Each structure stands twice: as C-alpha cells, then as structure tokens.
Amino acid sequence: MNPLLENFNTPFETAPFHLINNEHFLPAIQASIEMAREDIKTIKENSHPDFLNTIVALENSGEKLSRAASLFFNLNAAETNEEIQRLAKEISPLLSAHSNDVLLDEDLFKQVKEVYDRKDQLNLSTEESTLLDKTYKSFIRNGSLLDEAGKKKLRDIDQQLSMLGLQFGENVLKETNNYELIISEEKDLAGLPEGVVEAASQVAEEKGKKGKWVFTLAFPSYIPFMTYASNRDLRKKLFIAYNTKACKGDQLDNQEIIKKILQLKNQRAKLLGYDNFASFVLEERMAADGAQVLSFLNELLEKARPKAKAEMAELADFARKKDQLDDLQKWDVSYYAEKLKMKKYQVDDELLKPYFELNRTIEGVFATAKKLYGISFKENPQIPVYHPEVKAYEVNDERGNHLAVLYADFFPRPGKRNGAWMTIYRGQKRTGNKEQRPHVSIVCNFTKPTKTKPSLLTFNEVTTLFHEFGHALHGMLADGNFESLSGTNVYWDFVELPSQIFENWCYEKECLDLFAKHYQTGEPIPEFLIERIKKAANFHQGYQTVRQISLGLLDMAYHTADPDKIEDVFAFEKEIMKPTELLEPVAGTMMSASFSHIFQGGYAAGYYSYKWAEVLDADAFELFLEKGIFDKETAYSFRDNILAMGGKEHPDVLYKKFRGRSPKPDALIKRAGLLV
C-alpha cells in the first residue's frame, strides 16, 4: 500500500508523514500522472465544452499528483538527503513532461479555446472570468500555438531547466554544509556574546569536535560572527567563504549552470515570441514591463544612494576613530555598524534578545493575528510532522470553525536550505458543497536553544517571523472557489504585500506589549527600548535599500541581456553592480552563484518585487496608523479585500478596494528616511 495514493486518514486530512517513506514518492507520482491523464482524457471527450466540464474540470484535475509533488518538493527544501535529491532528478523530468503533455495537447487546447471564445456569452463571475483568462493564457504562454518542431524544442528546454534548477540548489546546500570555521583558541572568540559562543561549542560537540568552537555558513552562526567577532582576519575568512559559495571552479561551481539556465530561458521566451525572459515574466505582473521596473528601481536608487554613501562615510569615520581602521571592507560593515548603532541609539541585539524568546514570540504573533482577524491557534500533537522539531497547529476562525493547519519549522539542519520561507502543502478551494481548507507551513533558520538558554531571537529574526507569518495569513485566510487563484496565487509583485505589512506591527508598543517580556524575569520590554527600536529602524536604510536595488538590477540584467554574450559571470555581475557598490568589491566573491531566489526559486525577473511591495505595505500601513493598529474595521477590510481574495481580481483593483485609491510612494520614502 502506498500512503500517497490513499485518502489521508489523519486529522484534517494532513499528510501522513509517519507513514511516508522515500520509496513511496516515485511510484506514487508515476501512478498519479496516469490518473491525471485519465482526467484530461475525460475533458477532451466532452462534445459540448463549457466552463464547468472543461475549465473547472481542468482546474481540479490531477489532485493526487499535485498533493504528492507538493509534499515531495517541500521536503526537498526543508528535510532533504541524498536519496531525496536523487529522486528529485527522476521526478522533476516526469512532472515537466506531464505539464508539457497537458499544455501542448492540441485537442485539449481546442476545448479551452472554444469556451474562451464564448466568454462574453457565459455570464461568469469575476473569479470565474479570471480563471478562464488564466487557463487560456497558460496554454498560450506554454507553447500551444507553436508548430510541432517548436513544441518539441520547448519540451526539451523545460526538461533541462527543471534539472538545472535542482542542481543549482544542491550545489549551494552542499557548499553551505561543507564549510566549518573551527576555532581552537578562546582568544579568537573575543567580542562574541556568551550565547553565540555556547551555540558554537554545541555545534562542535555535535560534529565530534568537543573542546572547540565551530561556526558555519548557516544564518544563525554566520550573522552573529560577522556582527560581533573582534578578530578581523576570521571575519574576512568567514565572509569570503560565504560569498564564494558555488563559484570556486570545482564540481560544485554554479557558473556554467547559470549561463545554461539563462540561455534556455531566453530561448524559451523567444520561441514564444517575446524579446527576452523578463518580457515573458512581466506580462503577468503589476509592473507590466522591464522599462517600468528599471524606472522604479533607478528612481529609488537616486533617492537612496546619497544617503547610503553618507552612511558608509560615517561608518568609515567611526571605524577610523575607534580602531584606527583606514580601509573599511565588506567584512567590517556588520561589525562596526552594530557598534555605531549602539552608540547612536543605545540598542543592539544583545540588549533586545532576552525579550524575544522564541515560544513567547510565536504566541505574540498568534495574539497579533487574533486581535486583527479573530483567529486562534492550538497546537495539535496528533497531526503528523516530518521532523521532531516541527510543530503543527490547528487554526480556527472567530466563530470556532476550522480555518487551516499551520506547520512551524524554526531551526537549521543539514537537510534544510538557508533562509526563511512560507509554503503550502494543500491549498484552499471549494468543490460543490465541500470546502478544502489549506495546510500552510513557515520555515525559518533561527538560533537554536542551548543547554543554558532558550532560543532568543534577534530583532531581525522577529521581523522575519512576522514576515513569513504574513505570508501564512495570506494562505490561511484564503476564501475562493479555485485553488489556482487562492491564497498566495497572486501576481508575484503583489505577493509580498501581506508579508511585509505584517512586519510593521513589530515596531509598535501596543503589539510588543503582547509578548516582548524578559525570558528570565517576565518583565515587559521597557518603553525606552521600544522608542530606541523605532528610532533605530532607519539605521542604514540607505545602505539596505541600495543593496536590495542592486540585486533587483542584477536580476533584470540577467533576464534582459543576450545570454550568449555573458561569457564571464564574475565580470557580468561586477559590471552590473558597479553603480550600486558602496565599498571596494572583494576579489573572487560573487552573489550570482548562490542567488537561489532567481536561479532556483520563483523570483527570476521578479526580485524587484520586494521593493515594489514595500511601496504598497508602507502606504497600506499608514491607514492602520491613522485608524489604530488593531482597528477592526481596517483589519477586516484588509482581510476581505486582500488576504481572502487571493488572485480573483487584478491587484490594482483589490488594493483600491482596501485603500480607496492607488498606492503612493510617499509613505515608503518617509518611513525609510529617504526624504531629500
């Protein structure tokens, strides 16, 4: 018996992780592809195609396949191993081929087109009309109008891209896991907080190096070392290790993979009639085209660069006066910035961390969501999980009805990629009278508890938790009929609005009073510290803004340039980043080789979305500030017009329904302190 092919007899039909073994995945996916083919065959047999028997039937086809694939690839990100990675190389081409089989099926496309051509006569709702448009466009954008030779070429391109993305991610993960900075002498730990030292000792013990201290490239290890370690040579060593991942000219080097990915994406776009890959992507974005993206990024750069340069000049002067340092380098920025921030605002992570114990902060996130939207969370140990560290919660709405299942996975592991993300194991939809509620997961890499201390979060980790939970709210509060338009299935430059707006509550006393209490004394965070947090919020905003813009510009350059002319990835990146460099580039380092967002994830030609959504979130949060951060009317309007709506309507329409007007950039410029 294969549990992936059975009905899940678990609470809320959650994934039976306790029953699933690696050997179940490939046969389940092969079998469910056959089931999906039968679904498609039934649709094609309709003599009179209509919205229900063709468009809705296609939307609901391949349900078991979607479920099995979702489980598999989520585990490949959060709990992978060599066997799963090997399976991914078999499964990805199968899924790519099946997707092509559907979207390049001439008979199926004729059925879809027949319904689409009668669109004006069908009396569809807005949501139904959106689904019909999206379905028809998905065929066009995936080659339905190509001749047989073109279709064959597109299939080959998609197969190759699916494999190259996997390889890119595997190389980055292996590079991250392979590196260790082993410290044997206590003097080399100077400057590091006690908790960081204890965590490094614990890692060393786990790796069989008792009596030493081990630092890795995982965020909870790398970032504190770069922020606090007094030993400049070791900071440089760790910085270079982090920034040379997958670009050392060995078997884990991603540079040739990058060039191949870019060539294939460009070929695919041109095959479909687009100038480049960015043009293909942006057709389905709020920004609409590359010119608008570049205009947006460059206008913001013009405002941010003078402030960023002034910030770096101030930091260099501070380092010179403090330590007679005459050549501020990139591995010095976090170290001196933390000390300068302490001097200017009397606040740093070590001062704040005792008030942000992880479990209490999670409860604070839950309390914030309850005050805004009336929802509640209850841990349910009966829900199976894929790792002992993962917790599962059942989520109810204000009337006590089941709303969602939330998985929470917070600590680094060798089988887990770096960073933080939200994902969905099962989406929300309605089929007839039955509603399927979503299963949502947030995955982070926070500082683990030690033998003497619980997990204490930096303020940046607190905002990360709120950010990912904002995405989770988008998934959990989904209220639509069709899964492909539900929750986070929105335009990519709109998807960060729910996550980024939720970060704003972290800076408000009324919110912090719900959970920010000293882990030892229970004393609430003092008001003077909250004021310092707010004052320090704009610290190095110019620098951070320029950094984000530089990545957005690099992404757009990769996906608009002729890839055949990118002979040297190092040189290409250096040239594009030159206008945004604030310090001397470090020879041999690069971002591109580990830029997983664009070469493995879904942000190719879309990294600008973070800054784009910041305009939306700053503008939207201003309304909460005017009405009250927990004002029910405003919160319910945001829920009903943004979070619940998913992709039913164009984001411009949804935003105007909430805000009463189009977004203005003024709030972001003001919040970031970029006013000229």
Side-chain angles (χ1 to χ4, degrees):
M1 187 183 81
N2 190 321
L4 289 166
L5 296 173
E6 306 294 323
N7 292 325
F8 294 170
N9 187 24
T10 49
F12 310 110
E13 299 175 338
T14 47
F17 291 111
H18 59 304
L19 301 177
I20 298 170
N21 297 318
N22 288 344
E23 60 264 24
H24 291 136
F25 281 111
L26 184 58
I29 283 171
Q30 289 169 329
S32 54
I33 284 174
E34 290 306 314
M35 293 179 207
R37 284 178 180 152
E38 287 300 312
D39 293 341
I40 299 301
K41 183 182 174 188
T42 302
I43 295 170
K44 291 196 294 182
E45 288 170 351
N46 291 319
S47 55
H48 300 289
D50 60 28
F51 182 77
L52 195 61
N53 68 25
T54 299
I55 306 304
V56 174
L58 185 57
E59 164 76 7
N60 291 327
S61 66
E63 189 173 354
K64 283 196 183 298
L65 177 60
S66 298
R67 196 81 199 272
S70 171
L71 283 166
F72 178 76
F73 285 102
N74 279 324
L75 289 178
N76 193 37
E79 186 59 16
T80 196
N81 53 48
E82 287 186 6
E83 188 180 359
I84 288 179
Q85 290 174 355
R86 179 185 59 76
L87 281 168
K89 290 175 181 174
E90 288 188 72
I91 289 170
S92 283
L94 290 177
L95 294 174
S96 179
H98 174 68
S99 176
N100 286 143
D101 286 345
V102 173
L103 293 167
L104 296 174
D105 187 314
E106 285 187 28
D107 294 332
L108 182 61
F109 178 57
K110 283 177 186 173
Q111 304 281 85
V112 171
K113 188 174 186 303
E114 187 174 330
V115 180
Y116 182 79
D117 288 343
R118 291 187 285 110
K119 178 181 176 182
D120 294 340
Q121 305 160 33
L122 298 179
N123 195 28
L124 301 176
S125 69
T126 301
E127 183 182 13
E128 289 168 339
S129 182
T130 302
L131 180 67
L132 178 54
D133 284 344
K134 183 175 179 179
T135 304
Y136 179 73
K137 280 183 183 177
S138 70
F139 279 85
I140 301 296
R141 287 169 58 80
N142 285 282
S144 282
L145 299 181
L146 297 174
D147 60 20
E148 283 308 309
K151 288 178 180 178
K152 185 177 183 303
K153 186 175 182 183
L154 186 134
R155 284 176 181 275
D156 182 53
I157 288 171
D158 286 349
Q159 291 273 9
Q160 291 183 68
L161 282 171
S162 71
M163 298 299 289
L164 289 166
L166 284 172
Q167 191 61 56
F168 184 97
E170 283 180 25
N171 289 348
V172 174
L173 182 63
K174 283 176 183 172
E175 283 276 70
T176 302
N177 288 339
N178 287 350
Y179 183 82
E180 295 176 358
L181 174 63
I182 303 168
I183 292 180
S184 303
E185 298 186 37
E186 202 165 345
K187 65 181 177 60
D188 290 329
L189 301 169
L192 291 168
E194 177 193 337
V196 174
V197 172
E198 186 181 3
S201 173
Q202 191 166 299
V203 171
E205 198 169 326
E206 289 166 1
K207 290 176 176 284
K209 298 176 174 68
K210 193 171 182 179
K212 300 182 188 298
W213 298 268
V214 171
F215 291 87
T216 71
L217 302 182
F219 285 169
S221 183
Y222 175 76
I223 291 171
F225 195 91
M226 297 306 299
T227 304
Y228 296 109
S230 303
N231 189 318
R232 192 185 187 208
D233 290 338
L234 290 180
R235 286 203 313 271
K236 177 180 179 180
K237 187 175 182 180
L238 197 61
F239 174 90
I240 289 174
Y242 188 88
N243 289 280
T244 54
K245 283 184 292 187
C247 64
K248 301 183 187 73
D250 56 15
Q251 72 275 16
L252 297 179
D253 194 298
N254 273 337
Q255 291 176 83
E256 290 304 313
I257 291 176
I258 287 171
K259 289 195 277 187
K260 190 64 178 171
I261 287 174
L262 293 172
Q263 287 166 356
L264 290 168
K265 284 182 175 177
N266 190 57
Q267 288 171 26
R268 193 183 197 281
K270 287 187 178 300
L271 189 62
L272 294 169
Y274 296 88
D275 290 339
N276 49 54
F277 187 74
S279 296
F280 169 77
V281 168
L282 294 169
E283 183 181 62
E284 294 287 286
R285 298 288 191 266
M286 292 179 76
D289 58 56
Q292 192 171 346
V293 171
L294 291 174
S295 173
F296 167 72
L297 291 174
N298 284 318
E299 281 179 28
L300 201 51
L301 180 60
E302 196 175 327
K303 290 183 171 67
R305 187 162 43 196
K307 183 174 173 64
K309 284 185 175 179
E311 289 168 353
M312 287 301 99
E314 180 189 37
L315 191 66
D317 186 58
F318 174 75
R320 192 178 301 113
K321 289 175 179 173
K322 187 178 187 306
D323 289 332
Q324 295 76 53
L325 189 77
D326 290 324
D327 62 330
L328 187 76
Q329 300 289 337
K330 291 189 174 184
W331 52 84
D332 300 315
V333 172
S334 296
Y335 178 76
Y336 286 105
E338 189 70 9
K339 286 172 172 45
L340 179 59
K341 186 170 75 171
M342 185 64 179
K343 180 185 175 186
K344 293 178 78 164
Y345 304 106
Q346 291 79 54
V347 65
D348 67 1
D349 281 337
E350 288 308 300
L351 197 60
L352 296 175
K353 278 166 68 175
Y355 296 97
F356 297 118
E357 189 271 324
L358 175 60
N359 291 321
R360 190 169 266 161
T361 305
I362 294 166
E363 291 303 318
V365 169
F366 291 167
T368 305
K370 185 167 188 176
K371 283 178 75 72
L372 286 167
Y373 308 117
I375 60 179
S376 58
F377 300 79
K378 179 186 175 185
E379 187 177 354
N380 185 341
Q382 301 308 310
I383 296 174
V385 293
Y386 56 86
H387 189 278
E389 290 176 347
V390 179
K391 291 184 178 181
Y393 301 86
E394 53 182 281
V395 188
N396 292 327
D397 67 16
E398 56 201 326
R399 293 177 296 279
N401 300 316
H402 175 70
L403 191 66
V405 168
L406 174 69
Y407 299 99
D409 180 0
F410 289 125
F411 303 120
R413 295 185 296 273
K416 185 177 180 181
R417 63 179 170 90
N418 242 338
W421 64 94
M422 168 267 188
T423 188
I424 292 177
Y425 282 89
R426 184 179 83 169
Q428 180 270 332
K429 67 176 180 179
R430 292 188 190 91
T431 307
N433 294 323
K434 184 184 177 185
E435 180 167 16
Q436 174 178 289
R437 293 308 304 171
H439 300 163
V440 172
S441 177
I442 52 175
V443 188
C444 303
N445 281 276
F446 293 150
T447 306
K448 294 180 82 165
T450 64
K451 291 172 183 174
T452 64
K453 283 187 177 68
S455 176
L456 302 176
L457 304 185
T458 66
F459 190 71
N460 185 57
E461 289 176 324
V462 175
T463 60
T464 296
L465 176 57
F466 271 71
H467 179 103
E468 299 308 332
F469 194 80
H471 280 309
L473 286 169
H474 204 180
M476 293 186 293
L477 293 168
D479 185 22
N481 292 309
F482 309 120
E483 190 169 347
S484 69
L485 299 178
S486 179
T488 56
N489 290 309
V490 299
Y491 278 13
W492 210 256
D493 43 11
F494 193 64
V495 78
E496 294 297 335
L497 168 59
S499 56
Q500 290 180 187
I501 193 173
F502 205 58
E503 293 179 40
N504 288 278
W505 273 265
C506 299
Y507 295 89
E508 301 298 322
K509 182 180 187 302
E510 199 177 344
C511 176
L512 289 171
D513 282 347
L514 296 173
F515 67 93
K517 295 177 172 61
H518 198 285
Y519 79 101
Q520 289 173 314
T521 66
E523 289 294 312
I525 188 168
E527 192 163 348
F528 74 85
L529 275 184
I530 297 175
E531 285 305 308
R532 289 179 188 177
I533 289 171
K534 294 187 82 160
K535 286 178 181 176
N538 282 342
F539 180 69
H540 279 190
Q541 266 298 302
Y543 172 79
Q544 297 297 341
T545 299
V546 168
R547 171 68 176 162
Q548 280 287 92
I549 291 169
S550 74
L551 298 178
L553 290 171
L554 180 63
D555 170 39
M556 287 304 294
Y558 272 131
H559 294 107
T560 54
D562 178 352
D564 291 333
K565 294 181 180 176
I566 303 176
E567 296 178 4
D568 185 332
V569 177
F570 269 108
F572 185 85
E573 176 178 307
K574 187 176 180 181
E575 183 64 26
I576 298 302
M577 299 285 252
K578 193 184 294 180
T580 58
E581 286 287 9
L582 299 166
L583 292 170
E584 192 66 28
V586 180
T589 64
M590 73 153 69
M591 172 66 189
S592 301
S594 59
F595 201 172
S596 298
H597 273 75
I598 68 169
F599 292 118
Q600 184 192 12
Y603 280 86
Y607 199 80
Y608 74 92
S609 301
Y610 286 104
K611 297 312 290 185
W612 185 276
E614 271 192 58
V615 171
L616 303 178
D617 99 66
D619 185 69
F621 191 67
E622 272 213 337
L623 188 59
F624 279 98
L625 291 174
E626 289 168 18
K627 305 285 188 179
I629 67 163
F630 288 118
D631 178 65
K632 285 288 186 193
E633 184 181 351
T634 309
Y636 282 20
S637 173
F638 190 78
R639 178 193 67 187
D640 296 342
N641 291 306
I642 306 291
L643 300 175
M645 290 293 284
K648 289 182 192 179
E649 289 189 77
H650 194 285
D652 285 335
V653 175
L654 298 179
Y655 190 85
K656 285 174 187 172
K657 283 183 177 179
F658 165 68
R659 196 66 170 96
R661 57 164 175 75
S662 296
K664 298 177 181 177
D666 310 39
L668 174 62
I669 303 299
K670 177 183 171 185
R671 185 177 74 184
L674 301 179
L675 290 168
V676 179

